[in-house]
Amino acid sequence: AAWVLLLVAVTILGNTFAGPMTGEGSAFTTNPDSQVANELIDAHMGTSTTASETIVVHSERYTVDDPAFRDVVDGTVASLEPWREDIVSLANYYELGDTPEAAALVSPDRHSLIMPVTFKEAADDYDTRGEQYLDDAQGAATGDVAVYSVGDISGNATFGAIAEEDLSKEVSIGLPVAG
């Protein structure tokens, strides 16, 4: 009979605390400034459902005016050719000419530039190809010119690699302890 009471108590408590424990009902009960700001941003700018990346090209030695720097940018754009069907837009400083948009892509010291990339699909649609994207996007880097890609696809790929590495460590530690 005691176990029946225990079962009833656990069921009642489980239902009472299920929302907070599973993330259900995790919306704000008040309206903090951060929530107001998020709602205003969404209302005015909308929410993007497509993946985006920002490729950063940087060199301590060269500036965007040096041929070696441009060669890496050109190589980066060429390495993204397999992604042509997936990419909606890629802003390339060298293709924009002498415009305010082009100037906004270059750092004041001219040792770095960014290339915003917009994709057709959501980041989750690229999960199986995230590591390949990183290899392609960063493949033209040299010893003097670094290339980094940051954004939805690269973030998911990096997070996935870290999670997989952590999981393999836990398994390799946990199995000997359990055995």
Side-chain angles (χ1 to χ4, degrees):
W3 65 270
V4 173
L5 289 175
L6 180 64
L7 183 61
V8 169
V10 168
T11 302
I12 291 171
L13 289 175
N15 289 337
T16 301
F17 294 108
M21 300 303 278
T22 62
E24 291 178 25
S26 60
F28 288 108
T29 56
T30 62
N31 207 11
D33 291 343
S34 60
Q35 182 64 26
V36 172
N38 283 336
E39 290 171 1
L40 286 171
I41 289 169
D42 289 347
H44 291 309
M45 302 181 82
T47 55
S48 176
T49 58
T50 61
S52 64
E53 289 284 322
T54 300
I55 298 173
V56 180
V57 183
H58 174 78
S59 176
E60 292 293 326
R61 181 175 181 186
Y62 299 114
T63 69
V64 297
D65 305 308
D66 293 311
F69 194 101
R70 183 173 183 158
D71 287 346
V72 171
V73 171
D74 290 343
T76 300
V77 172
S79 72
L80 293 174
E81 181 61 24
W83 295 84
R84 182 184 62 222
E85 295 298 318
D86 296 297
I87 294 175
V88 174
S89 68
L90 185 152
N92 183 343
Y93 167 76
Y94 298 107
E95 293 176 358
L96 292 174
D98 189 21
T99 63
E101 292 82 9
L105 300 176
V106 178
S107 65
D109 68 0
R110 303 187 66 73
H111 283 272
S112 301
L113 71 76
I114 61 170
M115 294 189 295
V117 184
T118 305
F119 289 81
K120 288 182 180 177
E121 306 295 334
D124 292 346
D125 294 332
Y126 300 104
D127 278 351
T128 60
R129 299 189 299 155
E131 289 182 30
Q132 184 61 52
Y133 166 77
L134 276 174
D135 290 344
D136 292 342
Q138 299 175 163
T142 66
D144 290 322
V145 183
V147 179
Y148 308 98
S149 188
V150 294
D152 300 322
I153 298 170
S154 57
N156 286 354
T158 302
F159 176 76
I162 291 169
E164 189 173 308
E165 181 181 316
D166 287 350
L167 182 60
S168 69
K169 286 179 186 176
E170 287 180 19
V171 169
S172 65
I173 292 169
L175 286 179
V177 171

